[in-house]
């Protein structure tokens, strides 16, 4: 038995070396996990520090196809690289994670990780991907939940080659860093793979997509400079009056002024109500705007326009105070439902400026989930497009505009 275990350990070590030679950008992640060969038979599994193999399984699989062990190593390492740490109780999510990993490896197709039935796996996954829109666990799992039971039972033998039972369910910053490093190395050193890394790069970009605190961004973008006002907590009227009595018109201690409250003045928020926009995200976004108003100074200069639009301007609600905002939320009716065209809003706002509606337009935020037609001319005020995007589309905006991407889950979190 000890001889068989030694042989199994040598097989695993050699396969790990072959994998690093095949895919050099995976070298650091692969070598970051210690390999452990256990006596007996059992499933392949992993945790944040180890890859676990069983002696009998290694010998049996290696005799069937020498590439199986290299592929298993690559599969488990990719789970860690992509942040698959949870002990899932949902079989659809487990399967979705395996399918994303296997598709990425099949598309690489290098000598030591290639396995039979790659074409079948690619066909099945790409059919799901077309419906899901993006290779994320949530979206693929959602599509899997719609597949018939007899059909979905054929997927695990093709895609699931390890057990997820040893995961610790914790975030691992070091693996996030390795994932980002892998992206850099793929972009810089794998030209010889001639496009075969595209699928892997797509899932890595999703994994490493920068999370934006969009509420903080929105608060800073919506509000004007801090307001100078009397600090009633610091001002002592007794000293002030004593100075006036003693010197005539010179206060002994003048009123302290400070600046600590941002204020909303002239601003426009355009809300895309095209056919693809869901009511839930729109209402959550408006609620967040109201939350920001509650934290800011409101004055007689507050002039916030909330415009509903699709391929045209459908309504324009002017907000002067928190009460106006609350009434809008309580009675809001979504108007629109056609395609997305950004230009009518900019034409409408320019017309309002010409009519003197704004004394100093601070900027415009366009909340949208779609791709539309942009103005060809740069507006005379700052513009930010806030994309509510669960499909991780690489949406380009003109050079003069800012872009922030969030998911519907970011809007739902309170």
């Amino acid at each position: 038995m000890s001889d068989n275990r030694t042989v199994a350990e040598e097989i695993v070590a050699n396969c790990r070396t072959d994998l690093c030679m095949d895919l050099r950008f995976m070298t650091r992640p692969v070598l970051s996990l210690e390999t452990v060969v256990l006596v007996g038979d059992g499933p392949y599994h992993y945790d944040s520090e180890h890859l676990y193999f069983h002696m009998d399984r290694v010998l049996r699989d290696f005799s069937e196809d020498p590439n199986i062990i290299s592929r298993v190593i690559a599969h488990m390492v990719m789970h860690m690289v992509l942040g698959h740490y949870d002990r899932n109780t949902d079989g659809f999510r487990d399967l979705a994670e395996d399918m994303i990993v296997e598709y990425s490896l099949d598309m690489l197709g290098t000598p030591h990780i290639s396995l039979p039935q790659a074409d079948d796996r690619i066909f099945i996954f790409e059919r799901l991907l077309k419906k899901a829109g993006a290779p994320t666990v949530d979206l693929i799992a959602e599509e899997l939940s719609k597949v018939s039971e007899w059909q979905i039972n054929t997927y695990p033998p093709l895609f699931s080659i390890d057990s997820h039972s040893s995961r610790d369910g914790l975030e691992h910053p070091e693996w996030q860093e390795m994932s980002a490093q892998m992206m850099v190395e793929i972009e810089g050193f794998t030209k010889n793979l001639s496009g075969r890394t595209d699928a892997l790069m797509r899932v890595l970009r999703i994994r490493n997509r920068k999370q934006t605190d969009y509420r903080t961004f929105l608060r800073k973008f919506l509000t004007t400079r801090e307001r100078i006002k009397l600090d009633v907590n610091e001002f002592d009227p007794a000293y002030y009056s004593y100075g006036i009595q003693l010197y005539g018109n010179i206060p002994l201690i003048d009123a302290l002024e400070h600046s600590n409250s941002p204020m909303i003045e002239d601003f426009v928020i355009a809300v895309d109500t095209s056919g693809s926009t869901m009511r839930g995200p729109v209402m959550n976004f408006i609620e967040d705007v109201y939350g920001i108003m509650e934290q800011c100074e409101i004055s007689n200069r507050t002039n916030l326009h909330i415009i509903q639009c699709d391929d045209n301007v459908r309504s324009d609600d002017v907000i002067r105070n928190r009460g106006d905002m609350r009434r809008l939320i309580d009675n809001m009716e979504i108007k629109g439902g056609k395609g997305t065209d950004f230009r009518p809003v900019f034409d409408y706002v320019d017309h309002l400026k010409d009519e003197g509606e704004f004394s100093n337009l601070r900027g415009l935020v366009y909340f949208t989930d779609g791709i539309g037609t942009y103005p060809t001319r740069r507006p005379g005020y700052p513009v930010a497009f806030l994309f509510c995007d669960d499909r991780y589309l690489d949406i380009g905006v003109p050079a003069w505009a800012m872009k922030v991407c969030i998911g519907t889950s970011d809007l739902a979190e309170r």
Side-chain angles (χ1 to χ4, degrees):
M1 182 176 294
S2 60
D3 289 342
N4 285 343
R5 185 174 184 179
T6 300
V7 172
E9 289 173 342
E10 289 178 355
I11 289 172
V12 171
N14 291 336
C15 289
R16 186 166 74 158
T17 300
D18 290 340
L19 175 60
C20 292
M21 293 298 293
D22 255 11
L23 302 169
R24 297 192 177 186
F25 57 82
M26 287 188 67
T27 299
R28 182 185 170 198
V30 168
L31 297 182
S32 295
L33 293 168
E34 181 183 352
T35 58
V36 178
V37 178
L38 306 171
V39 174
D41 202 352
Y44 303 110
H45 58 286
Y46 67 96
D47 58 29
S48 60
E49 297 179 349
H50 305 90
L51 302 176
Y52 296 99
F53 305 82
H54 285 80
M55 175 185 70
D56 295 344
R57 180 77 179 271
V58 169
L59 297 176
R60 184 172 65 250
D61 285 350
F62 187 76
S63 65
E64 178 184 333
D65 187 334
N67 280 5
I68 291 179
I69 306 304
S70 298
R71 178 64 169 248
V72 168
I73 296 172
H75 181 101
M76 293 192 289
V77 169
M78 282 304 303
H79 275 313
M80 291 299 298
V81 168
L82 296 180
H84 300 164
Y85 309 137
D86 292 339
R87 288 196 188 104
N88 294 324
T89 56
D90 183 344
F92 293 127
R93 288 184 61 84
D94 267 343
L95 181 56
E97 290 173 350
D98 285 332
M99 295 181 86
I100 290 169
V101 167
E102 285 295 283
Y103 177 68
S104 301
L105 296 176
D106 278 328
M107 295 302 288
L108 289 171
T110 53
H112 291 97
I113 64 168
S114 295
L115 291 180
Q117 297 184 282
D119 289 342
D120 293 338
R121 287 189 294 271
I122 291 171
F123 173 78
I124 291 170
F125 186 80
E126 289 186 343
R127 186 172 57 187
L128 288 169
L129 181 59
K130 184 176 181 180
K131 296 176 182 177
T136 71
V137 174
D138 289 339
L139 294 175
I140 297 299
E142 181 181 348
E143 292 305 318
L144 287 172
S145 69
K146 303 173 186 176
V147 175
S148 63
E149 184 176 354
W150 71 265
Q151 188 176 11
I152 203 169
N153 287 337
T154 66
Y155 294 167
L158 285 170
F159 294 95
S160 301
I161 60 177
D162 67 335
S163 168
H164 303 166
S165 60
S166 298
R167 296 175 174 179
D168 58 18
L170 303 174
E171 285 293 327
H172 297 278
E174 67 275 16
W175 280 96
Q176 174 81 61
E177 187 270 328
M178 278 190 272
S179 178
Q181 180 184 346
M182 184 183 289
M183 283 183 60
V184 174
E185 293 185 3
I186 291 173
E187 290 175 334
F189 304 107
T190 59
K191 294 180 181 178
N192 59 322
L193 291 178
S194 61
R196 286 182 287 167
T197 58
D198 290 351
L200 177 56
M201 281 298 290
R202 188 177 182 188
V203 295
L204 285 172
R205 288 191 185 100
I206 292 172
R207 157 70 165 147
N208 293 292
R209 182 172 175 175
K210 184 178 180 181
Q211 296 297 309
T212 302
D213 184 349
Y214 100 92
R215 293 180 183 87
T216 299
F217 167 82
L218 193 60
R219 186 181 301 109
K220 291 180 178 178
F221 197 63
L222 272 170
T223 54
T224 186
R225 63 188 179 277
E226 294 176 332
R227 187 182 182 187
I228 304 299
K229 65 175 186 177
L230 179 69
D231 187 342
V232 295
N233 294 320
E234 295 293 334
F235 175 55
D236 189 335
Y239 282 98
Y240 185 90
S241 300
Y242 179 71
I244 294 294
Q245 293 175 6
L246 186 62
Y247 299 109
N249 61 351
I250 302 175
L252 183 62
I253 298 178
D254 206 349
L256 296 177
E257 294 178 323
H258 75 156
S259 167
N260 67 348
S261 298
M263 184 167 58
I264 296 177
E265 295 183 358
D266 286 345
F267 208 90
V268 175
I269 294 177
V271 180
D272 178 7
T273 56
S274 62
S276 60
T277 302
M278 295 178 291
R279 177 178 174 84
V282 168
M283 295 306 299
N284 286 340
F285 172 69
I286 297 299
E287 287 277 8
D288 282 335
V289 173
Y290 176 68
I292 290 171
M293 287 191 71
E294 287 189 315
Q295 301 168 17
C296 297
E297 288 288 329
I298 304 297
S299 73
N300 57 5
R301 290 179 294 177
T302 297
N303 182 27
L304 174 62
H305 286 245
I306 297 183
I307 298 172
Q308 294 190 48
C309 47
D310 46 16
D311 62 352
N312 214 326
V313 173
R314 301 300 173 184
S315 67
D316 179 10
D317 291 284
V318 182
I319 307 300
R320 303 290 186 185
N321 51 57
R322 296 182 183 89
D324 289 343
M325 191 69 184
R326 190 68 256 173
R327 281 188 290 274
L328 172 64
I329 294 172
D330 292 340
N331 302 291
M332 189 168 183
E333 177 185 352
I334 303 298
K335 302 171 184 176
K338 295 186 178 180
T340 302
D341 188 340
F342 302 128
R343 294 171 298 179
V345 168
F346 290 91
D347 291 341
Y348 176 72
V349 171
D350 287 342
H351 173 72
L352 291 180
K353 283 187 65 181
D354 293 341
E355 293 293 315
E357 173 64 18
F358 302 109
S359 58
N360 181 26
L361 181 55
R362 176 77 174 160
L364 183 152
V365 167
Y366 210 125
F367 177 79
T368 177
D369 71 343
I371 300 171
T373 305
Y374 294 91
T376 57
R377 180 174 55 87
R378 181 188 186 118
Y381 42 85
V383 176
F385 285 90
L386 186 61
F387 288 102
C388 184
D389 167 31
D390 284 332
R391 296 300 193 262
Y392 295 86
L393 301 175
D394 187 16
I395 302 172
V397 300
W400 42 261
M402 291 176 276
K403 178 177 77 170
V404 176
C405 294
I406 61 173
T408 54
S409 60
D410 297 316
L411 290 165
E413 292 172 357
R414 298 290 172 185

